[in-house]
Amino acid sequence: MKNKYPDVSIVITNYNYGKYLSRCLRSCLSQKNVNHEIVVVDDCSTDDSMKKIKPFLKDITLLKTEVNSGVAVAANLGIENSKGQYVIRVDADDFVNSDMCYFMERYLEENHDAFGVACDYVLVDDHEEVLERKHADKDNISCGIMYRKDLILELGGYNSEMRHREEEDLRKRLGDFYKIHHLKIPFYRYRMHNNNKTKSYEYKNTKI
C-alpha cells in the first residue's frame, strides 16, 4: 500500500514572483519516482501570484503569512506544516529537474550522518538559457538543499528575524551540526533576473 504521507515536501516561498510561478510549480509537480507534496507559502504578494496559483490548487497546499514577513518566516511556516520526512526549498522564480527529489531522498536514506544534502545548480537567464554551472559546495545557496525535517525543526529552523540570508545565518548558528553533503548533479535551475532578492540593497546590507 502506498504511504499516505509524502516522503518529501517541496516548500516554495513566494513574494511577487507571479511571472515565474507556473514554471516553478510545473517542474515541482513533475518529480518522478518519489512520493512528494508541494507546499506554497505566499508572503502577502501584491501582484498576480494568486491568479497564477489558482490552476494548481488541487495539487498543492497553499499557505499565506498574515503580514509580509520575509523568506525565513515563510519557509518556517511551510516546513512546520509539511508532512514529509524530508524537506527541500525551491524559490518561486526558479525551477528544477524532474529527478531531483528522488536522487536526493535516496542519498539521505543511505547517508544517515548527513543533516542534509545539496545539489549543484545551473544559472539561467529570464529565457531559461544556460549561463553557468555552479557547485553547491563552493557557491552555496539557500535552495536546492534537502533536509531531514525532524532535525531542522529540532535545531530551531530559520531565524525568523532574518528577512534575507537566512541560510547563511543557519549555517553559522548550527556550526558542526550543519553537516551538508554535496551531490554533484545540477538538478536546480537558479534564474537570474532584475528582481532577484540577492541583488537588493537590503539583502546586500544584511549582517550575519
Side-chain angles (χ1 to χ4, degrees):
M1 179 182 295
K2 184 177 180 180
N3 185 0
K4 64 179 180 179
Y5 293 109
D7 298 313
V8 175
S9 298
I10 301 175
V11 175
I12 301 171
T13 57
N14 175 66
Y15 176 64
N16 286 350
Y17 278 155
K19 176 181 178 181
Y20 306 108
L21 260 175
S22 294
R23 180 69 174 99
C24 176
L25 287 167
R26 290 198 309 272
S27 74
C28 292
L29 286 167
S30 73
Q31 295 301 297
K32 298 185 296 186
N33 304 313
V34 65
N35 184 13
H36 72 294
E37 68 169 350
I38 298 169
V39 180
V40 177
V41 184
D42 187 76
D43 195 19
C44 296
S45 292
T46 58
D47 66 351
D48 64 346
S49 289
M50 290 301 102
K51 179 180 178 181
K52 295 299 180 64
I53 289 174
K54 189 175 180 179
F56 299 93
L57 286 176
K58 64 181 178 63
D59 298 313
I60 68 170
T61 297
L62 175 62
L63 305 172
K64 299 179 183 180
T65 57
E66 294 183 0
V67 295
N68 180 258
S69 305
V71 67
V73 169
N76 283 340
L77 181 62
I79 293 169
E80 290 163 4
N81 286 277
S82 65
K83 298 175 182 176
Q85 180 180 0
Y86 306 108
V87 293
I88 183 168
R89 284 178 49 201
V90 175
D91 276 346
D93 54 338
D94 299 331
F95 58 101
V96 296
N97 182 280
S98 60
D99 289 316
M100 179 184 72
C101 287
Y102 171 74
F103 278 91
M104 297 179 79
E105 179 204 14
R106 293 305 307 149
Y107 186 92
L108 290 179
E109 287 286 320
E110 301 297 331
N111 294 274
H112 300 286
D113 60 324
F115 172 46
V117 60
C119 66
D120 283 349
Y121 58 101
V122 174
L123 300 181
V124 299
D125 65 17
D126 225 356
H127 304 288
E128 302 184 9
E129 294 294 327
V130 173
L131 301 174
E132 182 181 2
R133 173 175 171 161
K134 291 286 190 177
H135 297 278
D137 58 338
K138 298 176 181 178
D139 296 299
N140 42 60
I141 54 175
S142 58
C143 295
I145 307 172
M146 185 174 287
Y147 292 109
R148 301 183 190 278
K149 177 187 171 181
D150 58 344
L151 286 183
I152 194 169
L153 289 178
E154 179 183 327
L155 295 169
Y158 296 109
N159 182 346
S160 60
E161 296 181 1
M162 303 292 296
R163 291 186 66 88
H164 302 287
R165 302 180 69 177
E166 70 289 340
E167 191 70 35
E168 294 173 61
D169 173 79
L170 180 69
R171 194 179 307 124
K172 181 179 179 180
R173 177 160 47 88
L174 298 187
D176 291 340
F177 286 102
Y178 190 89
K179 191 171 184 180
I180 302 297
H181 290 196
H182 176 215
L183 197 58
K184 297 182 179 181
I185 308 177
F187 289 127
Y188 198 91
R189 299 293 184 267
Y190 187 102
R191 193 190 298 268
M192 303 298 293
H193 55 85
N194 292 333
N195 295 317
N196 286 116
K197 69 175 184 178
T198 53
K199 296 178 181 178
S200 71
Y201 175 86
E202 185 180 4
Y203 179 94
K204 292 178 180 178
N205 286 274
T206 297
K207 295 182 179 180
I208 302 298

